[in-house]
Amino acid sequence: EKQLDELVEQELRRIVNTQYGGVYRRYENELAIENKTLDDVRAALRREIIVARYLELNLKPKVSEPTRDELLTLFEQNKDKWARPAKRSMSLIEVRMDKRFSDGATEPDQRQTARVIARKRIRNAKSKIAAGETFASVAKEVSDGFFASEGGSWGYVTKDGVRERYLPAVEALYQMDTGEVSDTIETDEAFFLVRCDHNDPGVEPDFEAVQTELRSRSFRENYNRVIAEEVLKLQQEARMEPKNLDLFLLGVLENLPDAKLQ
């Protein structure tokens, strides 16, 4: 009994310290709103500890250790939980054709002139980077694309997360390592230079590495199943047999709201 009382007080202190800043009065004030006292809480905690101890002594031994095959099945079912796909962060210099159209030119002339000017601009950008200028500074000066003012930094990107016009740039990115700058990428709409800022190879889950977690998870699931079965059994076996049935029924009727005897 002394040990049980100590456990109750430990749990009560934990509640007060973590939720009420260590001030018992604050907890008592909240309990008063529900017409409860600290003694009511102590009684509830006492029951919880007794039940937990009963389960540990009587039901835990019934939970068998999972087999390797069971762990493998659980691993395959939850593989995506531990997986992390590969991803890369990108900086991009984009020189667009439509920014270089000459006023008064016919459509074919416009496109040809725009392509010549854009190609010259992207080659100039690549030369500056090769000469030692940072990709970010050249992007701020040359790029027509998104995030030019931030040095062309897009952050992490995926192939299914960009518009179609940027797919050639992102596809090139996923062939590169950290710090690499691509060759010039030419499309019908623009020229691109891509820099791989960071290469995160992702994580392919390893069965051996997560066995401890799998074993713990399997045990919890089986333990909860055994508890549920025990509760169901107790419910099925439960019987309410008052010694004086007439007195019991009269008490029920008297306590019904607005009960009316016909």
Side-chain angles (χ1 to χ4, degrees):
E1 289 294 317
K2 180 180 178 182
Q3 192 175 37
L4 184 57
D5 288 340
E6 289 176 354
L7 290 172
V8 168
E9 292 304 318
Q10 286 177 13
E11 181 61 16
L12 183 60
R13 281 197 301 272
R14 186 194 67 79
I15 293 171
V16 173
N17 289 336
T18 58
Q19 300 181 35
Y20 299 92
V23 182
Y24 276 78
R25 175 57 60 187
R26 289 172 58 186
Y27 190 24
E28 288 179 295
N29 290 341
E30 184 168 312
L31 290 172
I33 298 174
E34 302 176 12
N35 294 319
K36 293 181 180 179
T37 66
L38 287 178
D39 285 339
D40 294 329
V41 175
R42 289 186 176 96
L45 290 174
R46 186 183 181 88
R47 289 193 296 272
E48 290 176 9
I49 292 171
I50 290 172
V51 169
R53 184 62 174 161
Y54 169 83
L55 295 176
E56 184 175 351
L57 290 175
N58 293 277
L59 298 189
K60 260 191 177 181
K62 296 181 181 180
V63 182
S64 59
E65 284 292 319
T67 65
R68 182 178 176 84
D69 286 343
E70 289 173 335
L71 291 178
L72 276 170
T73 299
L74 189 60
F75 173 72
E76 291 299 329
Q77 291 172 346
N78 296 274
K79 201 172 182 179
D80 291 345
K81 173 185 174 183
W82 294 287
R84 191 179 75 240
K87 60 181 181 178
R88 285 171 168 79
S89 59
M90 172 178 79
S91 287
L92 183 69
I93 294 174
E94 177 185 6
V95 178
R96 293 171 52 176
M97 310 293 188
D98 59 4
K99 295 286 188 179
R100 320 263 110 62
F101 285 172
S102 302
D103 293 336
T106 62
E107 181 67 18
D109 289 341
Q110 286 181 329
R111 291 190 176 279
Q112 183 59 32
T113 302
R115 188 169 295 277
V116 170
I117 297 173
R119 183 179 285 111
K120 182 176 180 180
R121 188 175 177 87
I122 202 74
R123 285 177 177 172
N124 183 49
K126 189 169 180 61
S127 296
K128 288 184 177 184
I129 294 170
E133 293 189 38
T134 65
F135 194 96
S137 64
V138 176
K140 290 177 181 179
E141 177 187 348
V142 173
S143 182
D144 303 315
F146 297 118
F147 313 114
S149 60
E150 287 82 37
S153 176
W154 282 51
Y156 286 103
V157 295
T158 59
K159 295 178 183 179
D160 58 357
V162 298
R163 291 165 52 189
E164 185 176 353
R165 64 174 289 150
Y166 295 106
L167 275 178
V170 177
E171 286 172 352
L173 171 70
Y174 274 79
Q175 304 300 316
M176 299 162 59
D177 290 325
T178 302
E180 275 192 87
V181 177
S182 71
D183 291 328
T184 300
I185 301 167
E186 182 176 350
T187 70
D188 290 339
E189 299 177 271
F191 290 92
F192 299 108
L193 285 177
V194 178
R195 183 183 189 276
C196 179
D197 295 330
H198 183 67
N199 176 9
D200 183 342
V203 172
E204 183 65 26
D206 176 66
F207 173 69
E208 300 299 333
V210 298
Q211 268 201 68
T212 301
E213 184 176 347
L214 286 170
R215 197 175 299 277
S216 175
R217 178 169 182 167
S218 176
F219 182 86
R220 288 197 307 272
E221 290 179 355
N222 290 333
Y223 187 32
N224 289 335
R225 176 180 53 77
V226 170
I227 291 174
E229 290 172 353
E230 180 72 9
V231 170
L232 180 61
K233 177 184 175 183
L234 291 173
Q235 288 174 337
Q236 291 171 341
E237 293 177 350
R239 295 290 185 273
M240 184 170 60
E241 299 176 353
K243 294 180 180 179
N244 188 326
L245 186 59
D246 290 339
L247 183 61
F248 170 75
L249 292 175
L250 182 61
V252 171
L253 289 172
E254 287 178 346
N255 283 280
L256 286 174
D258 301 323
K260 293 182 179 180
L261 297 178
Q262 300 295 331

